[in-house]
Amino acid sequence: MSMRPYTPEWLSMPVAYVAEVALAVDAVEWWDDPFDPRDATILLVSGAALVWDEESGWRHGRFVSGEKGVRTVLADPRYLGGGVLPRPADVPVLQAMGGSHVRPHYRSFRDYGDGLDERLATYTIPAIV
């Protein structure tokens, strides 16, 4: 992939993936916060939230605070596993399994060219019907 890090296009690469995950869960609202590491938050109907980042994948917990531009804080966060980029349909399954308090570290946000961006580029914003 020839996209330069920190360009607007590169920063927005996770958006389509997160949008697909938001459709797979009971999302109320979601936003990305694309900076070191790129991450995103999905608020759920239950009052919980899912947070994704490009180093440790998905975690969930009770939403405490956060908004676009401000890191999300979760109470009792549990990491879902499944790698940094599990299939969107697998995220609710991983969430139902409970997760772990141990934070995995699949990659660094500085690992440019490791294939993550190529995988993110395969996702497109889902059409709303």
Side-chain angles (χ1 to χ4, degrees):
M1 165 148 260
S2 61
M3 193 174 298
R4 283 189 14 240
Y6 297 98
T7 61
E9 297 81 13
W10 181 83
L11 290 170
S12 67
M13 288 190 80
V15 168
Y17 170 69
V18 175
E20 285 199 28
V21 173
L23 285 175
V25 299
D26 292 326
V28 173
E29 176 184 358
W30 68 272
W31 61 86
D32 69 318
D33 188 21
F35 207 81
D36 294 343
R38 293 176 288 182
D39 65 344
T41 299
I42 299 174
L43 297 181
L44 304 173
V45 171
S46 66
L50 286 164
V51 175
W52 175 84
D53 73 66
E54 66 180 315
E55 293 184 332
S56 60
W58 289 99
R59 60 189 176 274
H60 71 110
R62 187 175 51 78
F63 179 75
V64 175
S65 65
E67 60 188 62
K68 187 168 180 71
V70 177
R71 291 275 182 230
T72 298
V73 177
L74 300 176
D76 192 29
R78 299 184 65 84
Y79 293 86
L80 302 187
V84 73
L85 209 61
R87 290 178 335 119
D90 292 342
V91 173
V93 175
L94 293 167
Q95 183 183 10
M97 293 170 59
S100 170
H101 289 289
V102 178
R103 180 184 187 264
H105 191 83
Y106 299 116
R107 65 186 296 276
S108 168
F109 69 88
R110 293 181 180 97
D111 289 344
Y112 315 120
D114 68 350
L116 177 66
D117 292 337
E118 288 81 358
R119 290 178 58 204
L120 286 170
T122 66
Y123 291 92
T124 57
I125 298 289
I128 298 174
V129 289

